[in-house]
Amino acid sequence: EPEVTQTPSHQVTQMGQEVILRCVPISNHLYFYWYRQILGQKVEFLVSFYNNEISEKSEIFDDQFSVERPDGSNFTLKIRSTKLEDSAMYFCASRISETYEQYFGPGTRLTVT
Amino acid sequence: KNQVEQSPQSLIILEGKNCTLQCNYTVSPFSNLRWYKQDTGRGPVSLTIMTFSENTKSNGRYTATLDADTKQSSLHITASQLSDSASYICVVSDLKTDKLIFGTGTRLQVFP
């Protein structure tokens, strides 16, 4: 069964460094999402992406964040200058259309030291 | 503000027993309500999804109910198994923005 994959599974970085989290959505899906979950807290929406542009973003998704679909398969989340409070699990999700279910990847645990 | 609240925060039951998890939401209008299972360190996996007009949906031993008038949902797990130990998250889709609004989850532990 096709699934969303994410790499790396765990990323450790120093405060102020740039990180890129990678996702490979399910191949025929058209809508892509990033969420984050700070340890012990609920999952929070970051951004949605469709037709090569951002369709929605939350207040969390400030100028330090950017998303890109550099080719036909990858979907990336970049954090330009990481802060301690960016430490969280980051989940990518995709779906085929607006009326279908979102499928989540296994997540990338980002630790900022 | 759109919110999704769940209770209890955590629950411990013995294998083979049934349990019911609760969800209350203020999201309005909403397009659908979902229940997800999230194993520790993993992404959420969908269990059920219900639209405004549905009031019950089953998936094996999982049965979700929805009362759109009182803005409440429940997830009933029958004959629990050790593998049911996980967080169960209620998620409501905002009709206007299409954003998913997550509850804080109920942490279920099933012991032998």
Side-chain angles (χ1 to χ4, degrees):
Chain A
E1 187 177 327
E3 55 184 19
V4 177
T5 59
Q6 290 186 243
T7 55
S9 56
H10 190 190
Q11 172 94 46
V12 182
T13 189
Q14 287 190 324
M15 198 166 54
Q17 296 296 304
E18 174 183 286
V19 294
I20 297 176
L21 310 183
R22 300 179 194 283
C23 168
V24 179
I26 295 172
S27 64
N28 59 344
H29 285 193
L30 302 175
Y31 294 79
F32 313 110
Y33 306 84
W34 283 101
Y35 296 87
R36 81 169 184 193
Q37 185 176 31
I38 294 171
L39 186 64
Q41 297 186 24
K42 60 184 177 182
V43 176
E44 299 172 288
F45 167 81
L46 287 178
V47 66
S48 58
F49 191 87
Y50 169 71
N51 201 25
N52 282 321
E53 60 183 26
I54 291 172
S55 41
E56 282 281 345
K57 59 183 181 178
S58 72
E59 314 83 60
I60 304 166
F61 194 89
D62 62 22
D63 293 343
Q64 293 300 313
F65 291 88
S66 62
V67 289
E68 204 175 37
R69 188 154 162 82
D71 52 43
S73 59
N74 289 285
F75 180 51
T76 62
L77 174 70
K78 183 194 290 187
I79 310 175
R80 286 191 188 79
S81 177
T82 50
K83 303 188 282 282
L84 293 175
E85 53 265 38
D86 292 328
S87 295
M89 281 288 280
Y90 288 81
F91 295 105
C92 172
S94 71
R95 62 178 170 175
I96 191 168
S97 76
E98 286 181 317
T99 55
Y100 280 78
E101 181 57 81
Q102 285 188 33
Y103 291 86
F104 285 80
T108 291
R109 178 169 295 286
L110 175 66
T111 302
V112 182
T113 60
Chain B
K1 188 179 175 184
N2 287 329
Q3 287 190 313
V4 179
E5 302 289 339
Q6 291 186 245
S7 61
Q9 237 179 352
S10 61
L11 183 62
I12 296 174
I13 61 173
L14 293 177
E15 188 179 13
K17 298 296 186 185
N18 303 334
C19 66
T20 300
L21 315 180
Q22 302 291 342
C23 173
N24 297 293
Y25 60 92
T26 59
V27 183
S28 183
F30 79 99
S31 60
N32 55 68
L33 184 145
R34 310 137 184 252
W35 282 93
Y36 284 87
K37 178 184 178 187
Q38 185 180 23
D39 292 309
T40 302
R42 306 292 297 174
V45 174
S46 179
L47 295 175
T48 64
I49 178 168
M50 289 182 289
T51 62
F52 179 89
S53 59
E54 295 176 291
N55 51 30
T56 188
K57 182 74 72 82
S58 289
N59 176 4
R61 295 180 296 104
Y62 301 104
T63 299
T65 64
L66 172 63
D67 186 335
D69 291 331
T70 61
K71 294 186 169 54
Q72 294 180 323
S73 176
S74 67
L75 180 70
H76 186 75
I77 304 174
T78 305
S80 60
Q81 299 175 358
L82 298 179
S83 58
D84 291 333
S85 295
S87 287
Y88 290 84
I89 307 173
C90 177
V91 183
V92 181
S93 178
D94 185 326
L95 181 65
K96 285 188 283 189
T97 65
D98 198 36
K99 285 183 196 172
L100 296 186
I101 300 165
F102 288 73
T104 48
T106 291
R107 177 107 187 102
L108 174 67
Q109 292 178 277
V110 181
F111 284 110

